[in-house]
Amino acid sequence: MRTVRSEWTDTVLVCKKCSTKLEGGFGPKGKMPLAKALREELGVRKGRKGSIGIIEVKCLGICPRDAVTVVTGAAPGDWALVARGAPMADVARDLGLSGATVPPVAEG
């Protein structure tokens, strides 16, 4: 078996089906999918080089009305239902991700 290194400190699974049903619903203008708005709030890059893996998955089997289902690797037993239009700072804090930002870039 081979392994590949990533820079992730946590993993966040976001239900893509829920996000699609909301047709966005997040971000400053309420038009972004939750995963993209969360990445933007935390300053996280996509892919394995980001500090947190925010991954959209097909369907988590919970279909809340006007919300998106989210699971974090830190608390896989506690699934969150994020309401449409929820402030991203609050979502990040409630998911335990508020301190997770990209390390400062070295000057020079």
Side-chain angles (χ1 to χ4, degrees):
M1 172 174 59
R2 292 179 26 176
T3 60
V4 177
R5 182 161 168 66
S6 85
E7 303 298 322
W8 295 359
T9 57
D10 202 351
T11 305
V12 180
L13 304 179
V14 178
C15 181
K16 187 171 184 165
K17 186 174 180 182
C18 292
S19 290
T20 301
K21 284 183 179 181
L22 291 184
E23 297 177 348
F26 299 94
K29 295 182 180 181
K31 305 250 181 210
M32 278 188 214
L34 178 60
K36 184 173 183 177
L38 195 54
R39 268 191 219 98
E40 190 174 280
E41 172 70 24
L42 296 171
V44 175
R45 297 187 327 181
K46 262 183 142 178
R48 65 185 184 90
K49 293 189 178 183
S51 59
I52 299 173
I54 300 174
I55 308 296
E56 285 187 306
V57 296
K58 282 190 173 190
C59 183
L60 292 169
I62 306 290
C63 299
R65 205 171 264 165
D66 289 325
V68 177
T69 306
V70 177
V71 182
T72 64
D78 296 322
W79 293 24
L81 305 179
V82 180
R84 177 197 309 258
M88 287 297 96
D90 294 347
V91 173
R93 183 197 65 233
D94 293 348
L95 293 174
L97 304 171
S98 59
T101 58
V102 175
V105 176
E107 292 182 27

